[in-house]
Every structure is written in C-alpha cells, then in structure tokens.
Amino acid sequence: MAVLGSLSAVRAAPWLWRRAAYAAAGLRGLCPGKGYAVGPAQVRTAQSLPTFGFLLDIDGVLVRGHRVIPAALDAFRRLLNAQGQLRVPVVFVTNAGNILQDSKAQELSALLGFKVEPDQVILSHSPMKLFSQYHGKRMLVSGQGPVVQNARALGFKNVVTVDELRVAFPVLDMVDLQRRPKTTPLPRNDFPAIEGVLLLGEPVRWETSLQLIMDVLLSNGNPGTGVATAPYPHLPVLASNMDLLWMAEAKMPSDNPMSDVYGANLFHRYLQMTQHERAKELGAGELWKQQPSAAQSCASILVCTGVYSPEAPGSTQPAQGEDEPPFHGHRDFSFSPGLIEASHIVNDVDEAVRLVFRKEGWAS
C-alpha cells in the first residue's frame, strides 16, 4: 500500500473524455471507455463533458485496512449520479500486487457500494504489461498470492515459481535447517535456463526467495551449474512495489513522501516536458495538426486521513545540519525537493473532491 494518503487530479484533452463518453453512451466506432457514464444528450455538448479525472490512492484515502473511511463514502456520493454511475473518470491506484485485478475491483465494489470495473484498477505491477520484450522469456517469479495468474495476465508466458525452483534444486534452500535435504540429491541438468527475475511484491519466506534469486543471478540462470565468476551485466530483474512502508490499521506507520506525491509531481513534470518538446519540434503554428496527448497536467492532493499529519514533523523536513530532506525514492530518480510538496493539502478525500469540483466549475 501507499505510504502517504494522497490522490491526484488529472486534466486531459476534451477529445479523450469525449471518446469515452460516446462509448459509454453505446455509440459505435470508438474504443471502449469505462469508469464513468453520461447520457446521449451530454454527448452532443462537449462543454458538458469532464476535462478532468481522479487517480485515487486506496489505503489512507478511501480505506484504512479493511475499514472504509467515512469521508470516502461522502466523496462518492458527489462523484456518482442518480443512476449510481461515476460522473467523471476515476482510476484506483495501489502498491498492492498480491491480488488479481478482478478481485481488487470486486473488493472495492463491496466497500464503496458501486461497481468498480477491473480496468479502473492499477496494481503495482500493472505497468509490466508494457515490458513486452520480456514476455516470452523464462522468468523466475517471486511474491505472494496468485503470482502465476498475475504474471500471465501481464503477458508473461513462461514463468517458474520460487517453490518450483526450490523443489528442482533442494540443496540451494539452505537457510531453514528443517528443510535441508537429509541426503544429497543427484544433480539436474534438464532444468531450462532462467532468463530473468520478476518481483511481484514481497514474498512470505524472504530467506528462500532471496537465496534462490541470488543463486539464479550468480549462475546466469543456471543454478544447477557452478560459476567461476559472477556475470556482468546480470540477468534482468523486473521489480514492482519497491515501497514496503505503509500503515493500514497499524499504529506504527513509516512515512515515505516519495511514493505518491513525488510520483504525481514527477508525472506532471513529464507532461509539461513532453508538451514543451512537442512545441519545439512542430512549431507553434503546427500544434493544431498534432493529436493532443491524453493527459495534460496532474495536480497532487495530500489528505490527512493516512500517515500525513500537519501537526507532526515528517521526514520531508531536513535533518539538523542538512540543507535538504533525505531522499527515499527510487535510485533511478534524481532528487528534486520541490517534487515532495503537494499541490494542495486537505483534511480528507471528500474535501479534495469538493476542491477539484470548485476549481473545475462543477456542481458538487
């Protein structure tokens, strides 16, 4: 789950929402759009269609563990129309990855009281659908829950689990003394080489997963053979849910401002950069010929129902004697202090929805 309770309001080009609106109204010829619905009369008026949507974090924004935060129910009373359909696009994002997309949608539907479609849910590993160059490779998958089903749903066609690898090479799993083989098994040379590692969240038995993953990397995917020198570069490792800090119902949160607000602001910076680069490449006079990008901006809104508290000093403050706060983000991200500051700070998600509606000129 996410560390900070936050959500993002995304502004998009009218053509994107209009395309989804036509599809929602049952008109043919356009790709399907789910997540909100409008009537046929609204389709004829572009001004009546939303040009914004919400990316909602789940833990700390909508729920705390398995309990719905009351403000979330108030927020969705504003977001839903009289028929129980969303008035504006809403997508649910979460660092969870130990559940199927369909199951998470059903879980949210039961908690929030309206039907959430599976394609409205983005799990921590959902972006791995884009890594098509690895989908045909033999991948060692680690995590918990339905890891094989999740891997296949992402497009990976040839996966082997840590348990399958442990059974094939029992002498490698040596941390748990109770599971060490009593006799030395015959070496195997019929096990197909592993071509990459897929991490779909935290495993249950860390020691086994860490040991076997290291053995796969050091042996270049052939743990049944010896290795003279460690290969470099090693096999690809695709990892999701690098953020292992969250709150749920526990009273011992660990605050990491890099997970939600930083990501939303980084996404906004990327959108501005791509628009600027497109303007330089095409020239201002030719911009109208270019189909606009789906999203144009992203505003981060921090709520106080999660880890964040305005009264308590957080880890976003510099330590004594330091000029800037410590960086707890991904190693591939360069640190920019301005990206950890939310665009808005509100009490809860209902206040956030009212804020966005007011700024967009929508009745709440």
Side-chain angles (χ1 to χ4, degrees), residues 100 177 203 214 243 285 300 363:
L100 294 173
L177 299 180
M214 290 300 299
D243 178 15
S300 57

Side-chain angles (χ1 to χ4, degrees), residues 15-280:
W15 68 268
L16 178 70
W17 304 142
R18 184 158 56 249
R19 181 173 64 180
Y22 272 93
L27 302 180
R28 296 183 178 181
L30 297 168
C31 65
K34 297 180 180 178
Y36 84 113
V38 297
Q42 289 176 289
V43 172
R44 293 191 292 269
T45 308
Q47 288 77 9
S48 65
L49 299 178
T51 58
F52 65 97
F54 291 93
L55 300 175
L56 297 178
D57 187 19
I58 298 175
D59 186 53
V61 176
L62 305 179
V63 301
R64 176 67 62 77
H66 298 286
R67 295 182 294 107
V68 180
I69 295 173
L73 300 178
D74 295 333
F76 279 100
R77 278 190 280 269
R78 303 179 192 279
L79 290 168
L80 297 172
N81 62 18
Q83 291 73 43
Q85 299 169 318
L86 287 165
R87 301 165 59 197
V88 299
V90 173
V91 173
F92 302 89
V93 294
T94 175
N95 283 350
N98 57 352
I99 189 172
L100 294 173
Q101 195 174 25
D102 288 1
S103 301
K104 193 64 178 181
Q106 293 175 12
E107 179 184 298
L108 288 171
S109 299
L111 289 170
L112 300 175
F114 73 96
K115 183 170 178 55
V116 175
E117 299 288 348
D119 60 3
Q120 286 178 260
V121 178
I122 299 179
L123 301 172
S124 61
H125 48 62
S126 295
M128 289 187 178
K129 292 179 181 179
L130 303 175
F131 289 64
S132 57
Q133 67 270 38
Y134 300 106
H135 288 172
K137 295 184 180 296
R138 183 169 171 83
M139 304 291 288
L140 174 65
V141 58
S142 173
Q144 60 179 288
V147 290
V148 174
Q149 296 96 312
N150 272 326
R152 288 175 177 164
L154 294 170
F156 295 93
K157 303 176 181 64
N158 189 2
V159 297
V160 56
T161 66
V162 170
D163 279 340
E164 290 171 337
L165 184 65
R166 178 182 66 82
V167 171
F169 302 98
V171 296
L172 297 182
D173 185 21
M174 301 298 286
V175 177
D176 187 344
L177 299 180
Q178 299 299 319
R179 297 212 304 195
R180 287 188 180 183
K182 305 304 180 185
T183 60
T184 303
L186 295 175
R188 290 190 56 171
N189 55 12
D190 61 341
F191 195 83
I194 293 172
E195 300 173 282
V197 179
L198 185 61
L199 305 180
L200 300 183
E202 64 272 16
V204 175
R205 297 181 67 99
W206 285 87
E207 75 284 353
T208 295
S209 293
L210 288 174
Q211 180 65 68
L212 269 63
I213 288 172
M214 290 300 299
D215 289 335
V216 165
L217 295 178
L218 289 173
S219 64
N220 203 32
N222 296 279
T225 63
V227 57
T229 59
Y232 186 84
H234 59 65
L235 296 176
V237 178
L238 309 184
S240 66
N241 192 9
M242 301 296 289
D243 178 15
L244 301 181
L245 309 175
W246 68 92
M247 188 169 184
E249 292 117 329
K251 301 299 182 183
M252 294 294 293
S254 298
D255 193 1
N256 180 2
M258 306 305 168
S259 64
D260 293 353
V261 171
Y262 196 92
N265 291 338
L266 191 63
F267 179 48
H268 175 75
R269 177 176 289 184
Y270 166 78
L271 293 174
Q272 304 309 300
M273 180 185 68
T274 55
Q275 291 174 19
H276 177 69
E277 292 299 319
R278 187 182 302 117
K280 288 198 304 183

Side-chain angles (χ1 to χ4, degrees), residues 2-7 57 59-61 64 69 245-248 250 252-261 300-317 340-348 351:
V3 175
L4 291 177
S6 71
L7 61 116
D57 187 19
D59 186 53
V61 176
R64 176 67 62 77
I69 295 173
L245 309 175
W246 68 92
M247 188 169 184
M252 294 294 293
S254 298
D255 193 1
N256 180 2
M258 306 305 168
S259 64
D260 293 353
V261 171
S300 57
I301 305 175
L302 180 61
V303 299
C304 301
T305 50
V307 172
Y308 176 79
S309 173
E311 288 81 20
S315 61
T316 61
Q317 301 300 320
I340 64 176
E341 298 178 4
S343 304
H344 307 277
I345 299 178
V346 297
N347 290 319
D348 51 49
E351 185 177 336

